[in-house]
Amino acid sequence: MEVTVDFLVIGSGVAGLTFALKVAQYGRVALITKKEIKESNTNHAQGGIASVFSSLDSFDLHIKDTLSSGVDLCNKDVVEMVVKGGPERIKELIDFGVNFNIKEDENSQNFDLGREGGHSQKRIVHAQDMTGREVENVLVQCVYKHKNIDIYEHHIAIDLITRSTRIKRGFVVTNYEDTCCGAYVLDRKNKKVKTFNSKITLLATGGIGKVYLYTSNPDIATGDGIAMGYRAGTTIANLEFVQFHPTCLYHPKAKNFLISEAVRGEGAVLINKGGEPFMFKYDKEKDLACRDVVARAIDSELKKRGDNCVYLDISHKKSEFIKKRFPNLYKQCNIYGFDMTKDPIPVVPAAHYICGGISTDIYGRTNIKYLYAVGETACTGLHGANRLASNSLLEALVYSDKAAFRAIKELKIIKKRPDLNIPLWDETGTVDSDELIMISHNWDEIRRIMWNYVGIVRSNKRLARAKRRIDNIISEINDYYWDFKVTSDLIELRNLSVVADLIIKCALHRKESRGLHYNIAYPEKDNKKWQKDTILRRPFVI
Ligand code: SIN
């Protein structure tokens, strides 16, 4: 089956939804999402959106904090553009119907501003401790109502289609300097592959957390956009910078449950199993140091003491305040048997955010014509070597606006172009899989390898070991992929393996320690040699 649209949006987080809403009055939009529309990383974002509203704050201070968190690797122009674009985008969300927490306070333009690690001022606009959910709910309602947007839930993209795409036994083969004209998409419920023919395509598939054994991310975060982009020939940058959130709930049944950094912003203190605060030993900002510092400090405490978790304690604050500020966390912690108004919460770091991704310009354009990438899938230059807390939703909002502006202009040009003749999906010769164990086993192995060898603290030996094992898994997946009909598990496994491989390659390449990338063989930052992005492109295949 073939679907022809003006805009194909892959992903239904804040980046995909806002882009879709902005371009929809200029053309037909297909929004595809691999589960239910609300199942996105955005939906799980607790903290909020960093932006300058306080009279004690300034664009300069937000820019300074972002640059300093990014450890000399941010693109200053991008930082300036994103920071300055924040207030307008947040007001636009309010116009869409989003409710942020309000406090009667002239100094903060009536926002109840929170604080998180690395921020010198209170600047986190939030909706209690469920900011992402509030934003996602409102945007989804707007998208549902738009007559020009068709929503395809339970549809997972397999590969991008470019002008040079050829199908070789179900394998999509593309060339460099290409033009994107859509994607092959598996309808998961009907088990059919559809060909989406689009003039403009946006990759907004979110992050890669599931490549690690422990992650704050939901199950959908399998790096699909980055993997598809890489296979199609986009430039990939800085994947060694994987952010580990310092505080995920440590409980055998609490899958992916994040304890927001906003809790430390309101005064919570990290303590070890002996009840001793420890962050003062690692950074002058103590518990509100940047995430890379806090995650490494926890890792070091755990290794020194042989403990399996540390604790986050906010019990010194008034119980009423905690329940009002963190209603969801309070409720969830109770489910697992912790009353955060009284008990310290057991926490460990977990993979949370990838600072690298598909390299884009200031409009979110990739090096492939008419292919855009926005949000966690993209590497814009904002985050450098370590993303400042709550700068991610901000980046997604500013870039989806820029991308929409540019895409609308491009559409006018492309409309004059005759439709490209693109090959339909061809699964001749493939059969239903008879070895599902291969998929589940490799999925598990990749996540363990990445957690054990490509985690918070790296070494050359661990990275080399990871590389050897991932190479084997990739060749096994490729053999398998050629022979069987695609399923969503196979698509995700293939994407995870590509992303794992790219993270390892980037990490092996960078011979220094900076921000989120820490290698014991090169413990120092080396600005002379390494103050530059790590760039990867797929070797030419045809
Ligand atoms: C958090 O609430 O701690 C997460 C916010 C973020 O990752 O920016």
Side-chain angles (χ1 to χ4, degrees), residues 44-48 116 119 124 129 216 243 245-247 258-264 291 352-353 387-393:
H44 293 253
Q46 296 179 10
E116 291 178 357
H119 288 275
I124 316 299
D129 53 353
S216 63
Q243 185 168 72
H245 196 292
T247 57
L258 183 75
I259 307 292
S260 175
E261 193 155 313
V263 181
R264 274 176 287 136
R291 277 187 194 164
H352 182 60
Y353 189 89
R387 175 181 67 97
L388 185 63
S390 287
N391 263 358
S392 46
L393 292 181

Side-chain angles (χ1 to χ4, degrees), residues 306-517:
D307 294 340
N308 40 19
C309 66
V310 295
Y311 293 84
L312 187 64
D313 190 6
I314 191 166
S315 59
H316 52 280
K317 287 273 180 178
K318 286 208 169 80
S319 162
E320 284 324 301
F321 166 77
I322 297 172
K323 289 183 198 164
K324 190 160 174 243
R325 176 68 179 86
F326 302 112
N328 188 44
L329 286 179
Y330 175 73
K331 191 171 124 208
Q332 294 296 330
C333 284
N334 260 321
I335 292 175
Y336 296 109
F338 306 106
D339 176 349
M340 68 189 279
T341 65
K342 298 195 187 105
D343 312 318
I345 313 162
V347 290
V348 282
H352 182 60
Y353 189 89
I354 185 97
C355 294
I358 299 177
S359 194
T360 71
D361 70 1
I362 58 154
Y363 295 107
R365 286 184 296 191
T366 71
N367 56 302
I368 294 185
K369 251 184 163 179
Y370 310 131
L371 176 66
Y372 290 68
V374 174
E376 197 170 343
T377 310
C379 180
T380 63
L382 175 70
H383 307 310
N386 181 28
R387 175 181 67 97
L388 185 63
S390 287
N391 263 358
S392 46
L393 292 181
L394 173 69
E395 182 195 46
L397 287 170
V398 172
Y399 267 88
S400 55
D401 180 66
K402 294 268 168 206
F405 168 81
R406 198 70 227 175
I408 292 162
K409 287 197 159 186
E410 285 195 334
L411 182 71
K412 289 187 186 139
I413 304 166
I414 317 171
K415 275 205 157 154
K416 295 184 189 136
R417 167 191 94 177
D419 274 347
L420 298 173
N421 212 354
I422 60 178
L424 292 176
W425 184 253
D426 175 10
E427 53 186 19
T428 327
T430 57
V431 293
D432 283 328
S433 166
D434 60 350
E435 281 279 340
L436 292 182
I437 187 68
M438 185 301 276
I439 296 181
S440 56
H441 177 86
N442 279 335
W443 181 293
D444 186 59
E445 201 176 338
I446 292 174
R447 299 184 67 202
R448 280 178 198 282
I449 292 169
M450 294 301 285
W451 183 258
N452 290 328
Y453 301 140
V454 199
I456 298 172
V457 175
R458 300 162 180 179
S459 73
N460 288 340
K461 206 164 146 189
R462 288 182 203 157
L463 290 175
R465 190 172 290 156
K467 171 99 183 63
R468 279 195 302 276
R469 299 200 177 176
I470 295 289
D471 281 350
N472 277 343
I473 292 176
I474 286 184
S475 73
E476 213 171 279
I477 294 170
N478 283 345
D479 288 346
Y480 186 92
Y481 187 83
W482 283 69
D483 294 333
F484 297 101
K485 285 196 167 57
V486 284
T487 62
S488 58
D489 284 347
L490 179 58
I491 294 166
E492 288 185 336
L493 173 69
R494 181 176 178 234
N495 291 340
L496 279 183
S497 70
V498 169
V499 171
D501 178 53
L502 297 178
I503 294 174
I504 296 167
K505 281 185 178 138
C506 288
L508 276 167
H509 178 77
R510 185 171 289 280
K511 300 200 171 23
E512 63 155 0
S513 289
R514 178 187 300 269
L516 299 161
H517 173 68

Side-chain angles (χ1 to χ4, degrees), residues 238-309:
N238 292 355
L239 291 187
E240 65 274 41
F241 299 116
V242 179
Q243 185 168 72
F244 291 83
H245 196 292
T247 57
C248 283
L249 184 62
Y250 179 74
H251 187 280
K253 295 207 173 115
K255 192 177 158 202
N256 314 334
F257 193 66
L258 183 75
I259 307 292
S260 175
E261 193 155 313
V263 181
R264 274 176 287 136
E266 297 293 354
V269 178
L270 284 160
I271 54 178
N272 60 26
K273 261 199 176 165
E276 299 146 1
F278 56 84
M279 274 313 300
F280 70 91
K281 292 187 276 180
Y282 296 90
D283 196 280
K284 65 177 182 355
E285 297 295 334
K286 298 187 228 166
D287 299 87
L288 282 179
C290 284
R291 277 187 194 164
D292 56 330
V293 176
V294 183
R296 268 198 304 279
I298 295 176
D299 189 68
S300 148
E301 287 291 308
L302 296 181
K303 288 197 171 118
K304 258 194 269 173
R305 296 178 48 92
D307 294 340
N308 40 19
C309 66

